[in-house]
Amino acid sequence: MDASRIIALCATLLSGLVAADLTLKPAGDEHTYFTKENFVVTCLVGNGDIQSLVWFGPQDNQITENDGRIHVESSREVSESGPLKGIVLMVEDVRLEDAGTYKCSAVIDGEEQSVSFNLVIHGSINFENTELHQYAPEGSNMTVVCNVDGDPKPTINWEFKGIQLQQDSKYHVNGGQLTIYDVKRSDAGNYTCGAFLITSGKSQIKSKNITVHIQHAPEWVERYPEDAYSSVGHMVNLSCEAQGEPTPTFVWKRNNETVHTNHVFVKYDEVNKTILQINVHNESLFGNYTCQASNVIKTVEKTIVLKEGDTPVAPVFSVVSEEAGTLMVDISPPAESSLLEVIGYKVEYKLSTDNWSDAHSKEFDIGHRHILKNLVHDADYVVRVAAKNAVGYGEYSAEIVARTKKTNSPTISDNNSALVNQFSSIGVVLSTTALLWIQRL
């Protein structure tokens, strides 16, 4: 064989090798994904003159779209051997019907080449139709339901407060159903439904939190007395508080009729609490008021008796200044006390040069020292006091003027004056600290 024929044969072989340089990235004959995932596969050409480069789908349909859920884009990459041209297959939100064989076909230097891969799709774990909040009455047997789908069927486990639940006298685990026997309030909280599946090419783990609510009847919070007091011409608030699951709603009743907001009554509702404000404009408003707390389990009620009473008369008091910038208010109980016990005092105070509209006030409980702090030094203050009982605050007392102490200054005793004069005669200026030290000699 002459040299020319050998060269021609080598050229033919080399041409075939170049034309066959059609690769996929990532490589592989099979790619596995779960539904709703996204993936990209690039078909690359290393050398040669590209006349055509296209992708075909499982139905042997050419993919020509440049946008959308399944589309193609041109690609240019750089490798160690030089620039690579290619075409990218992009698939978003993968579906089961996307499974099949995808082929990249090219015409390079006049020769047709192709490379393909098989797309395998598994159903992703999903928790559709799973209620995130589930309820059961206290003392019942409750089944918490976690609806889980996937292909293949996922394996499910349950956790509560970080502990995996096992089959025992308290729990029965049956896949996506967790039965809790004789539920108590301590069983309320977040339960984690964990699911995992394994395929020959891929695995997946997901979880969903389900909040369990244990329903129980409203229970009164014993914070408020069952007797209330007011007097004609005053406002009074009746309060009751109850906790339950679900959160209770409140209704006020008087003479077996529901009390509605109007010019006499105003109802304020908070979470687990209700307040009925009454404008006591005449004596007919004294009597029994019933507070009802209701939820899907039960309605409970309590009665508050509104009685007539008087606010306390003004107390007797005195004021002294024991330290600079403070006033000590010594309060005696009112001389003419009503039947209701005095439960506190309000002290109003102001500089003698100010108006009462600029006054400060401080409330004190019985048994506490009545000290006004952070006052102006060496200044006259006007003070007045009112007493409080279950009806409210009474009238203010007569005013008392008291002067706060001035700031204390260190003094020098006569015994040390000669020593001070001796230091002064030589031109030494003593600091306050030095003077105090001399006094201790």
Side-chain angles (χ1 to χ4, degrees):
M1 183 180 297
D2 58 24
S4 60
R5 293 183 62 187
I6 294 175
I7 292 173
L9 179 61
C10 289
T12 300
L13 292 173
L14 289 173
S15 175
L17 289 173
V18 170
D21 192 16
L22 192 64
T23 59
L24 296 180
K25 182 180 179 181
D29 296 330
E30 184 174 283
H31 297 298
T32 302
Y33 294 96
F34 288 106
T35 52
K36 298 186 179 181
E37 290 186 325
N38 305 327
F39 74 89
V40 174
V41 177
T42 305
C43 181
L44 294 169
V45 178
N47 297 292
D49 181 22
I50 302 174
Q51 284 85 52
S52 173
L53 185 61
V54 295
W55 274 104
F56 289 91
Q59 308 301 321
D60 204 29
N61 57 302
Q62 182 178 341
I63 302 171
T64 59
E65 291 81 2
N66 298 123
D67 57 20
R69 193 178 67 83
I70 300 177
H71 67 274
V72 293
E73 297 178 6
S74 59
S75 170
R76 288 184 178 273
E77 296 188 14
V78 178
S79 68
E80 294 180 357
S81 59
L84 301 175
K85 297 180 181 179
I87 185 171
V88 179
L89 171 66
M90 306 189 73
V91 181
E92 301 174 2
D93 189 23
V94 175
R95 302 172 184 174
L96 292 174
E97 59 265 28
D98 296 332
T101 300
Y102 288 77
K103 181 177 68 173
C104 175
S105 180
V107 177
I108 305 172
D109 293 329
E111 294 192 14
E112 185 174 336
Q113 301 290 327
S114 67
V115 63
S116 63
F117 72 93
N118 184 42
L119 176 62
V120 178
I121 305 297
H122 292 286
S124 179
I125 297 172
N126 73 81
F127 298 92
E128 292 181 7
N129 302 318
T130 295
E131 296 290 338
L132 300 183
H133 294 268
Q134 300 186 30
Y135 304 81
E138 184 177 20
S140 67
N141 297 333
M142 176 186 190
T143 298
V144 187
V145 179
C146 178
N147 293 316
V148 186
D149 291 325
D151 177 31
K153 187 175 179 62
T155 301
I156 300 172
N157 58 49
W158 290 87
E159 287 187 2
F160 180 51
K161 295 180 179 179
I163 299 174
Q164 185 168 335
L165 303 180
Q166 306 292 338
Q167 201 99 333
D168 57 21
S169 59
K170 180 66 177 177
Y171 304 104
H172 176 74
V173 180
N174 181 21
Q177 294 186 338
L178 171 68
T179 300
I180 310 172
Y181 297 109
D182 187 22
V183 293
K184 304 183 184 304
R185 297 181 200 181
S186 57
D187 294 318
N190 290 330
Y191 288 74
T192 301
C193 172
F196 66 93
L197 58 81
I198 300 175
T199 72
S200 58
K202 206 169 185 182
S203 63
Q204 189 178 58
I205 300 175
K206 289 185 178 182
S207 64
K208 181 68 69 174
N209 285 332
I210 300 172
T211 302
V212 168
H213 302 265
I214 307 304
Q215 299 171 319
H216 61 89
E219 296 177 347
W220 296 115
V221 177
E222 299 301 333
R223 183 178 300 172
Y224 305 99
E226 295 183 355
D227 293 333
Y229 296 87
S230 187
S231 58
V232 175
H234 285 78
M235 291 282 193
V236 63
N237 290 340
L238 307 185
S239 302
C240 64
E241 185 173 350
Q243 295 180 344
E245 179 61 52
T247 301
T249 57
F250 295 93
V251 172
W252 286 94
K253 289 196 171 183
R254 181 169 183 261
N255 300 327
N256 293 322
E257 294 184 358
T258 301
V259 176
H260 299 285
T261 295
N262 52 35
H263 67 285
V264 177
F265 303 104
V266 180
K267 181 171 176 276
Y268 301 96
D269 285 334
E270 303 174 6
V271 176
N272 297 320
K273 181 179 178 181
T274 182
I275 299 172
L276 180 66
Q277 186 177 84
I278 306 172
N279 178 11
V280 187
H281 62 83
N282 61 51
E283 293 181 350
S284 68
L285 292 165
F286 296 113
N288 295 345
Y289 291 81
T290 300
C291 175
Q292 291 184 341
S294 305
N295 64 13
V296 295
I297 304 298
K298 190 177 180 180
T299 295
V300 296
E301 62 182 35
K302 68 183 297 186
T303 298
I304 300 176
V305 182
L306 178 59
K307 300 178 179 180
E308 186 172 10
D310 292 324
T311 56
V313 299
V316 176
F317 73 102
S318 60
V319 184
V320 295
S321 181
E322 295 181 340
E323 298 178 1
T326 68
L327 289 176
M328 174 68 180
V329 185
D330 185 11
I331 307 174
S332 301
E336 299 177 11
S337 179
S338 67
L339 295 177
L340 300 177
E341 180 183 5
V342 173
I343 58 176
Y345 300 102
K346 179 187 288 186
V347 178
E348 274 198 345
Y349 57 99
K350 67 180 185 69
L351 286 168
S352 59
T353 55
D354 290 343
N355 297 318
W356 280 113
S357 59
D358 301 318
H360 300 277
S361 67
K362 189 169 183 179
E363 296 182 358
F364 297 96
D365 294 329
I366 293 294
H368 289 240
R369 298 188 71 197
H370 317 122
I371 302 177
L372 308 178
K373 299 180 180 180
N374 302 318
L375 307 180
V376 177
H377 295 195
D378 196 23
D380 286 330
Y381 276 86
V382 184
V383 183
R384 63 186 184 183
V385 181
K388 179 183 180 182
N389 62 13
V391 177
Y393 282 107
E395 297 294 328
Y396 278 104
S397 65
E399 302 168 3
I400 290 181
V401 178
R403 191 170 187 84
T404 56
K405 279 191 173 183
K406 64 176 65 175
T407 305
N408 293 328
S409 300
T411 58
I412 302 174
S413 66
D414 294 336
N415 294 336
N416 295 310
S417 60
L419 184 57
V420 172
N421 291 333
Q422 182 179 350
F423 277 96
S424 300
S425 65
I426 59 175
V428 178
V429 179
L430 298 176
S431 67
T432 301
T433 303
L435 292 175
L436 292 174
W437 177 79
I438 294 169
Q439 287 179 302
R440 299 193 192 102
L441 296 178

PDB file of all heavy atoms in Angstrom, residues 62-79:
ATOM      1  N   GLN A  62     -39.259  16.537  17.948  1.00  0.00           N
ATOM      2  CA  GLN A  62     -38.159  17.476  18.110  1.00  0.00           C
ATOM      3  C   GLN A  62     -38.580  18.591  19.061  1.00  0.00           C
ATOM      4  O   GLN A  62     -39.673  19.145  18.951  1.00  0.00           O
ATOM      5  CB  GLN A  62     -37.754  18.072  16.767  1.00  0.00           C
ATOM      6  CG  GLN A  62     -36.561  19.027  16.879  1.00  0.00           C
ATOM      7  CD  GLN A  62     -36.129  19.571  15.529  1.00  0.00           C
ATOM      8  OE1 GLN A  62     -36.462  19.006  14.478  1.00  0.00           O
ATOM      9  NE2 GLN A  62     -35.403  20.670  15.533  1.00  0.00           N
ATOM     10  N   ILE A  63     -37.690  18.894  19.999  1.00  0.00           N
ATOM     11  CA  ILE A  63     -37.953  19.953  20.979  1.00  0.00           C
ATOM     12  C   ILE A  63     -37.353  21.241  20.429  1.00  0.00           C
ATOM     13  O   ILE A  63     -36.128  21.381  20.334  1.00  0.00           O
ATOM     14  CB  ILE A  63     -37.347  19.594  22.337  1.00  0.00           C
ATOM     15  CG1 ILE A  63     -37.917  18.260  22.846  1.00  0.00           C
ATOM     16  CG2 ILE A  63     -37.602  20.707  23.353  1.00  0.00           C
ATOM     17  CD1 ILE A  63     -37.227  17.727  24.073  1.00  0.00           C
ATOM     18  N   THR A  64     -38.210  22.174  20.086  1.00  0.00           N
ATOM     19  CA  THR A  64     -37.751  23.411  19.453  1.00  0.00           C
ATOM     20  C   THR A  64     -37.991  24.653  20.294  1.00  0.00           C
ATOM     21  O   THR A  64     -37.444  25.721  19.995  1.00  0.00           O
ATOM     22  CB  THR A  64     -38.468  23.590  18.095  1.00  0.00           C
ATOM     23  OG1 THR A  64     -39.894  23.634  18.331  1.00  0.00           O
ATOM     24  CG2 THR A  64     -38.149  22.433  17.152  1.00  0.00           C
ATOM     25  N   GLU A  65     -38.835  24.526  21.349  1.00  0.00           N
ATOM     26  CA  GLU A  65     -39.167  25.709  22.151  1.00  0.00           C
ATOM     27  C   GLU A  65     -37.924  26.259  22.847  1.00  0.00           C
ATOM     28  O   GLU A  65     -37.061  25.511  23.293  1.00  0.00           O
ATOM     29  CB  GLU A  65     -40.217  25.368  23.207  1.00  0.00           C
ATOM     30  CG  GLU A  65     -41.606  25.054  22.648  1.00  0.00           C
ATOM     31  CD  GLU A  65     -41.709  23.612  22.145  1.00  0.00           C
ATOM     32  OE1 GLU A  65     -40.713  22.871  22.266  1.00  0.00           O
ATOM     33  OE2 GLU A  65     -42.776  23.241  21.633  1.00  0.00           O
ATOM     34  N   ASN A  66     -37.858  27.587  22.926  1.00  0.00           N
ATOM     35  CA  ASN A  66     -36.742  28.248  23.613  1.00  0.00           C
ATOM     36  C   ASN A  66     -37.100  28.734  25.009  1.00  0.00           C
ATOM     37  O   ASN A  66     -36.264  29.321  25.709  1.00  0.00           O
ATOM     38  CB  ASN A  66     -36.240  29.431  22.786  1.00  0.00           C
ATOM     39  CG  ASN A  66     -35.706  28.984  21.440  1.00  0.00           C
ATOM     40  OD1 ASN A  66     -36.170  29.443  20.394  1.00  0.00           O
ATOM     41  ND2 ASN A  66     -34.742  28.074  21.444  1.00  0.00           N
ATOM     42  N   ASP A  67     -38.344  28.512  25.434  1.00  0.00           N
ATOM     43  CA  ASP A  67     -38.753  28.782  26.808  1.00  0.00           C
ATOM     44  C   ASP A  67     -39.924  27.867  27.129  1.00  0.00           C
ATOM     45  O   ASP A  67     -40.407  27.131  26.276  1.00  0.00           O
ATOM     46  CB  ASP A  67     -39.115  30.257  27.024  1.00  0.00           C
ATOM     47  CG  ASP A  67     -40.219  30.735  26.093  1.00  0.00           C
ATOM     48  OD1 ASP A  67     -40.952  29.891  25.556  1.00  0.00           O
ATOM     49  OD2 ASP A  67     -40.351  31.953  25.914  1.00  0.00           O
ATOM     50  N   GLY A  68     -40.367  27.905  28.387  1.00  0.00           N
ATOM     51  CA  GLY A  68     -41.420  27.008  28.813  1.00  0.00           C
ATOM     52  C   GLY A  68     -40.875  25.933  29.740  1.00  0.00           C
ATOM     53  O   GLY A  68     -39.694  25.903  30.091  1.00  0.00           O
ATOM     54  N   ARG A  69     -41.759  25.033  30.156  1.00  0.00           N
ATOM     55  CA  ARG A  69     -41.366  23.997  31.118  1.00  0.00           C
ATOM     56  C   ARG A  69     -40.298  23.078  30.557  1.00  0.00           C
ATOM     57  O   ARG A  69     -39.350  22.689  31.251  1.00  0.00           O
ATOM     58  CB  ARG A  69     -42.600  23.196  31.540  1.00  0.00           C
ATOM     59  CG  ARG A  69     -42.383  22.313  32.762  1.00  0.00           C
ATOM     60  CD  ARG A  69     -43.655  21.594  33.150  1.00  0.00           C
ATOM     61  NE  ARG A  69     -44.068  20.626  32.165  1.00  0.00           N
ATOM     62  CZ  ARG A  69     -43.593  19.377  32.085  1.00  0.00           C
ATOM     63  NH1 ARG A  69     -42.679  18.954  32.936  1.00  0.00           N
ATOM     64  NH2 ARG A  69     -44.034  18.553  31.149  1.00  0.00           N
ATOM     65  N   ILE A  70     -40.417  22.685  29.281  1.00  0.00           N
ATOM     66  CA  ILE A  70     -39.391  21.881  28.605  1.00  0.00           C
ATOM     67  C   ILE A  70     -38.914  22.684  27.395  1.00  0.00           C
ATOM     68  O   ILE A  70     -39.709  22.993  26.497  1.00  0.00           O
ATOM     69  CB  ILE A  70     -39.941  20.520  28.149  1.00  0.00           C
ATOM     70  CG1 ILE A  70     -40.446  19.717  29.356  1.00  0.00           C
ATOM     71  CG2 ILE A  70     -38.872  19.725  27.411  1.00  0.00           C
ATOM     72  CD1 ILE A  70     -41.079  18.374  28.983  1.00  0.00           C
ATOM     73  N   HIS A  71     -37.645  23.051  27.369  1.00  0.00           N
ATOM     74  CA  HIS A  71     -37.133  23.831  26.252  1.00  0.00           C
ATOM     75  C   HIS A  71     -35.651  23.579  26.071  1.00  0.00           C
ATOM     76  O   HIS A  71     -35.009  22.901  26.878  1.00  0.00           O
ATOM     77  CB  HIS A  71     -37.417  25.321  26.450  1.00  0.00           C
ATOM     78  CG  HIS A  71     -36.656  25.938  27.589  1.00  0.00           C
ATOM     79  ND1 HIS A  71     -37.108  25.908  28.887  1.00  0.00           N
ATOM     80  CD2 HIS A  71     -35.460  26.596  27.616  1.00  0.00           C
ATOM     81  CE1 HIS A  71     -36.248  26.521  29.670  1.00  0.00           C
ATOM     82  NE2 HIS A  71     -35.230  26.961  28.931  1.00  0.00           N
ATOM     83  N   VAL A  72     -35.098  24.148  24.992  1.00  0.00           N
ATOM     84  CA  VAL A  72     -33.671  23.986  24.686  1.00  0.00           C
ATOM     85  C   VAL A  72     -33.017  25.352  24.577  1.00  0.00           C
ATOM     86  O   VAL A  72     -33.671  26.349  24.259  1.00  0.00           O
ATOM     87  CB  VAL A  72     -33.464  23.189  23.381  1.00  0.00           C
ATOM     88  CG1 VAL A  72     -33.922  21.745  23.548  1.00  0.00           C
ATOM     89  CG2 VAL A  72     -34.192  23.864  22.206  1.00  0.00           C
ATOM     90  N   GLU A  73     -31.713  25.369  24.862  1.00  0.00           N
ATOM     91  CA  GLU A  73     -30.908  26.581  24.726  1.00  0.00           C
ATOM     92  C   GLU A  73     -29.549  26.194  24.179  1.00  0.00           C
ATOM     93  O   GLU A  73     -29.070  25.073  24.422  1.00  0.00           O
ATOM     94  CB  GLU A  73     -30.740  27.282  26.083  1.00  0.00           C
ATOM     95  CG  GLU A  73     -32.019  27.777  26.709  1.00  0.00           C
ATOM     96  CD  GLU A  73     -31.768  28.423  28.065  1.00  0.00           C
ATOM     97  OE1 GLU A  73     -30.583  28.564  28.433  1.00  0.00           O
ATOM     98  OE2 GLU A  73     -32.754  28.788  28.741  1.00  0.00           O
ATOM     99  N   SER A  74     -28.937  27.120  23.441  1.00  0.00           N
ATOM    100  CA  SER A  74     -27.599  26.851  22.930  1.00  0.00           C
ATOM    101  C   SER A  74     -26.598  26.967  24.075  1.00  0.00           C
ATOM    102  O   SER A  74     -26.833  27.643  25.071  1.00  0.00           O
ATOM    103  CB  SER A  74     -27.242  27.836  21.822  1.00  0.00           C
ATOM    104  OG  SER A  74     -27.291  29.165  22.302  1.00  0.00           O
ATOM    105  N   SER A  75     -25.435  26.304  23.897  1.00  0.00           N
ATOM    106  CA  SER A  75     -24.439  26.276  24.963  1.00  0.00           C
ATOM    107  C   SER A  75     -23.044  26.381  24.372  1.00  0.00           C
ATOM    108  O   SER A  75     -22.771  25.841  23.293  1.00  0.00           O
ATOM    109  CB  SER A  75     -24.576  24.982  25.771  1.00  0.00           C
ATOM    110  OG  SER A  75     -23.500  24.828  26.650  1.00  0.00           O
ATOM    111  N   ARG A  76     -22.178  27.054  25.094  1.00  0.00           N
ATOM    112  CA  ARG A  76     -20.761  27.099  24.745  1.00  0.00           C
ATOM    113  C   ARG A  76     -19.960  26.896  26.029  1.00  0.00           C
ATOM    114  O   ARG A  76     -20.154  27.602  27.010  1.00  0.00           O
ATOM    115  CB  ARG A  76     -20.374  28.424  24.099  1.00  0.00           C
ATOM    116  CG  ARG A  76     -20.912  28.588  22.690  1.00  0.00           C
ATOM    117  CD  ARG A  76     -20.424  29.874  22.047  1.00  0.00           C
ATOM    118  NE  ARG A  76     -20.897  29.999  20.679  1.00  0.00           N
ATOM    119  CZ  ARG A  76     -20.284  29.496  19.608  1.00  0.00           C
ATOM    120  NH1 ARG A  76     -19.147  28.822  19.769  1.00  0.00           N
ATOM    121  NH2 ARG A  76     -20.765  29.657  18.404  1.00  0.00           N
ATOM    122  N   GLU A  77     -19.094  25.904  26.019  1.00  0.00           N
ATOM    123  CA  GLU A  77     -18.255  25.615  27.170  1.00  0.00           C
ATOM    124  C   GLU A  77     -16.809  25.525  26.718  1.00  0.00           C
ATOM    125  O   GLU A  77     -16.521  25.317  25.539  1.00  0.00           O
ATOM    126  CB  GLU A  77     -18.674  24.306  27.847  1.00  0.00           C
ATOM    127  CG  GLU A  77     -20.067  24.342  28.445  1.00  0.00           C
ATOM    128  CD  GLU A  77     -20.351  23.112  29.271  1.00  0.00           C
ATOM    129  OE1 GLU A  77     -19.394  22.381  29.597  1.00  0.00           O
ATOM    130  OE2 GLU A  77     -21.540  22.874  29.594  1.00  0.00           O
ATOM    131  N   VAL A  78     -15.918  25.667  27.680  1.00  0.00           N
ATOM    132  CA  VAL A  78     -14.483  25.559  27.400  1.00  0.00           C
ATOM    133  C   VAL A  78     -13.924  24.394  28.197  1.00  0.00           C
ATOM    134  O   VAL A  78     -14.128  24.301  29.405  1.00  0.00           O
ATOM    135  CB  VAL A  78     -13.750  26.865  27.772  1.00  0.00           C
ATOM    136  CG1 VAL A  78     -12.253  26.702  27.519  1.00  0.00           C
ATOM    137  CG2 VAL A  78     -14.304  28.036  26.969  1.00  0.00           C
ATOM    138  N   SER A  79     -13.250  23.470  27.488  1.00  0.00           N
ATOM    139  CA  SER A  79     -12.622  22.324  28.138  1.00  0.00           C
ATOM    140  C   SER A  79     -11.109  22.406  27.942  1.00  0.00           C
ATOM    141  O   SER A  79     -10.586  23.322  27.291  1.00  0.00           O
ATOM    142  CB  SER A  79     -13.163  21.016  27.555  1.00  0.00           C
ATOM    143  OG  SER A  79     -12.737  20.870  26.209  1.00  0.00           O
TER     144      SER A  79
END
